[in-house]
Amino acid sequence: MNTSATSLTATGYPRTWQRYTMGQRLLRFALYLVVVAAIVQALRSVEVIPEFLYDAPEQMGDLLSRMWPIDWAYYPDGVHAALMETLHIATLGTILSVILAVPVGLLAANNLTPNRLINQLARLILVSSRSVNSLVWALLFIAIFGPGALAGTLAIAFRSIGFVGKLVGEAIEEAQRGPVEALTATGASSSAVLWYGYWPQIRPAFWSIVLLRWDINVRESAVLGLVGAGGIGMALDTALNLFQWDRVALVLAAIFAVVIVAEVIITQARKRIL
């Protein structure tokens, strides 16, 4: 039996179809087997309690009935200030992360930092920042500075360094070499090459990265209050602990509204500015 066939593509060039070799088939089968085994092992370790599953619809209905009607009158006194604090945490944390991440991103770019040791150290900093969740960062800074917005701002900033620095470094590595080589040939300084050679090329990507990270930070800062790092999460935690479900619904509605507004702002900013 023939193991290959030939047909023409849309451009008129011949396309050859060939069956997988025995080694490729075994490799594909091994990958499928590993995926199935991983899924089975995960299901075995989750420990699902059937009684809770059967009772879940009834419990969900009871919880929703307690949340309605929403206590809108509580917003001015108990939610507005915390919501504004959440936005401040996200904004200041993003600004601080950009200030800290850009130098690290420059050191992580291979075409700007030929020193392999410094380059790898910068990449280690970026990986370390991304590997620690924002809630863990918040717990660490709460232990140092105490509960409040300062711990939340620093948690957002240190969590964002890896994201911003990595994408900025990749944007620099993908920049065209022509303008850079032209500036270097004229004897321009390193700062001039960076400002006039690289910055015009990475500017759209840079602002996209900053806007996207601010959008993410608005979402993340909304839950930092659950561990005492300020923001609307503290109002949510208080309402949950006191079983004030109508106020829990109000806080959740406020968070949802802020996320939607932030998404609209980011979308319009990208269309009009970038």
Side-chain angles (χ1 to χ4, degrees):
M1 181 177 58
N2 293 331
T3 58
S4 63
T6 303
S7 61
L8 295 179
T9 63
T11 58
Y13 293 99
R15 176 187 296 165
T16 302
W17 302 92
Q18 187 173 1
R19 295 180 182 274
Y20 291 113
T21 64
M22 181 60 67
Q24 290 174 330
R25 293 179 184 177
L26 291 175
L27 180 59
R28 288 166 61 88
F29 177 77
L31 290 176
Y32 292 150
L33 186 62
V34 169
V35 171
V36 172
I39 294 174
V40 171
Q41 182 62 28
L43 292 175
R44 292 179 58 187
S45 60
V46 167
E47 295 184 1
V48 177
I49 302 176
E51 290 78 7
F52 287 176
L53 287 179
Y54 299 148
D55 193 42
E58 181 179 351
Q59 295 296 331
M60 179 62 70
D62 179 66
L63 182 62
L64 292 177
S65 66
R66 294 171 185 237
M67 288 183 174
W68 189 264
I70 299 175
D71 187 8
W72 298 107
Y74 182 66
Y75 178 84
D77 297 329
V79 176
H80 181 75
L83 189 60
M84 293 300 101
E85 187 177 60
T86 295
L87 294 176
H88 295 159
I89 290 173
T91 303
L92 292 177
T94 303
I95 294 173
L96 181 58
S97 71
V98 171
I99 295 174
L100 297 174
V102 169
V104 182
L106 297 179
L107 295 176
N110 290 321
N111 51 348
L112 281 183
T113 309
N115 189 307
R116 186 171 180 81
L117 178 61
I118 297 178
N119 187 265
Q120 293 300 320
L121 179 61
R123 292 177 181 270
L124 177 62
I125 294 174
L126 298 180
V127 171
S128 300
S129 170
R130 297 198 309 273
S131 63
V132 180
N133 189 271
S134 57
L135 289 175
V136 179
W137 280 118
L139 290 172
L140 292 175
F141 287 116
I142 286 173
I144 299 173
F145 300 104
L150 176 60
T153 302
L154 293 176
I156 289 295
F158 276 74
R159 168 65 171 172
S160 304
I161 289 175
F163 181 93
V164 176
K166 176 179 173 58
L167 294 183
V168 168
E170 290 180 350
I172 292 174
E173 290 179 344
E174 294 173 358
Q176 298 295 325
R177 293 292 303 170
V180 176
E181 292 175 352
L183 287 169
T184 304
T186 62
S189 63
S190 299
S191 59
V193 171
L194 186 62
W195 184 252
Y196 296 105
Y198 286 103
W199 172 244
Q201 298 187 63
I202 71 169
R203 181 169 50 198
F206 174 80
W207 289 117
S208 294
I209 294 167
V210 173
L211 291 173
L212 175 60
R213 190 63 220 185
W214 179 79
D215 184 28
I216 296 172
N217 288 341
V218 169
R219 304 163 195 257
E220 290 194 354
S221 60
V223 299
L224 292 182
L226 294 175
V227 296
I232 197 171
M234 296 186 71
L236 178 61
D237 185 54
T238 300
L240 286 171
N241 291 333
L242 297 177
F243 302 105
Q244 297 171 333
W245 300 110
D246 52 349
R247 294 183 177 180
V248 170
L250 173 63
V251 174
L252 294 178
I255 294 174
F256 179 76
V258 166
V259 169
I260 294 299
V261 171
E263 184 69 26
V264 172
I265 292 174
I266 295 300
T267 302
Q268 293 301 318
R270 287 174 61 89
K271 289 181 179 179
R272 298 177 184 273
I273 300 176
L274 303 181

